[in-house]
Amino acid sequence: MILLELLNMVTRLWHAYERMLQTHPIITKIAVASPMFALTDVAVQTIEQRRDKDLSREGKRGSDETTLDLRRTATQALFGVYYATVHAHFIWGRLEVLFGGVTFLTPFAGALSRVCIDQFITGTPLFNTVFFYTTGRLAQGMSHEDAMQNVSQRLWPMLCAHWSFWVPFHTLNFWLVPFRHRIVPAQIALFGWSAFMSYTGAKKQHPAATIE
């Protein structure tokens, strides 16, 4: 009985989500993405603080501070708004329009073509550039010049990591999932990935070595 009620509740929520996607697609995608980025950052900060407290007790380098960095969390939430609007809605939507009239040998080939454009030209380089710039500029209070340096030092390693996971994932996502629902599996995968991004973005970058 409880299982049936739970199933009915999930079904009602899904139908409500479907209606919202039809009537207010951008707002709905923001409502999914922005809290997810923020909550993931809170989880990452909590883990980091527990680790630092353990190190402090052991006499190693660490900190007893337990206050959340709300500026960092707000930056992650704002980035979630950017991701949902620019990437999950406009870029993916334009790809559907661009490739909508093209006939491919198989649906898989069509999905792979969309993913290649998104990952190597329009989406991923912009996604990670904006992430590292906003993390440096807004969350860490860097100047514009320092934030751009933050991007230049971190962008390529992150792109390599990004492509190794997201190219196969999005190929399946674009192949099997209709456009309006793609943000759902993407958000599930992003829950873990955004934790990695939150941790990476918050790490202090060592200054680049200079040659005298």
Side-chain angles (χ1 to χ4, degrees), residues 16-194:
Y17 173 72
E18 280 272 278
R19 291 192 297 271
M20 288 296 293
L21 273 178
Q22 295 293 332
T23 57
H24 302 89
I26 297 178
I27 293 175
T28 304
K29 291 171 184 177
I30 289 173
V32 172
S34 183
M36 189 278 299
F37 273 92
L39 290 172
T40 304
D41 179 70
V42 170
V44 171
Q45 287 195 53
T46 301
I47 294 170
E48 291 172 347
Q49 289 169 4
R50 288 178 180 174
R51 178 202 60 196
D52 287 347
K53 288 177 70 174
D54 289 342
L55 290 174
S56 180
R57 291 194 193 100
E58 295 171 5
K60 301 176 182 179
R61 187 175 62 181
S63 171
D64 287 325
E65 187 174 344
T66 57
T67 304
L68 288 174
D69 185 347
L70 296 181
R71 183 173 177 175
R72 169 177 158 180
T73 302
T75 300
Q76 292 291 321
L78 182 61
F79 183 78
V81 174
Y82 160 80
Y83 162 75
T85 305
V86 175
H87 293 270
H89 187 76
F90 285 110
I91 291 181
W92 290 2
R94 289 302 93 191
L95 286 174
E96 291 303 306
V97 173
L98 178 64
F99 288 96
V102 179
T103 302
F104 293 94
L105 293 177
T106 64
F108 181 83
L112 184 59
S113 299
R114 290 172 173 82
V115 169
C116 286
I117 297 294
D118 175 58
Q119 291 291 304
F120 297 106
I121 299 177
T122 59
T124 298
L126 179 63
F127 176 90
N128 287 282
T129 297
V130 172
F131 175 77
F132 284 121
Y133 182 85
T134 56
T135 297
R137 192 86 163 97
L138 301 181
Q140 299 179 15
M142 295 180 180
S143 66
H144 169 71
E145 291 75 16
D146 288 341
M148 292 302 295
Q149 182 69 17
N150 188 49
V151 171
S152 67
Q153 290 179 340
R154 300 191 183 204
L155 182 59
W156 179 248
M158 178 59 86
L159 286 177
C160 293
H162 191 113
W163 288 327
S164 68
F165 175 77
W166 287 106
V167 169
F169 178 88
H170 274 315
T171 300
L172 294 175
N173 193 17
F174 278 51
W175 179 32
L176 300 174
V177 182
F179 164 64
R180 69 181 185 278
H181 291 147
R182 282 180 197 150
I183 194 172
V184 176
Q187 286 299 130
I188 294 172
L190 264 173
F191 187 80
W193 188 261
S194 63

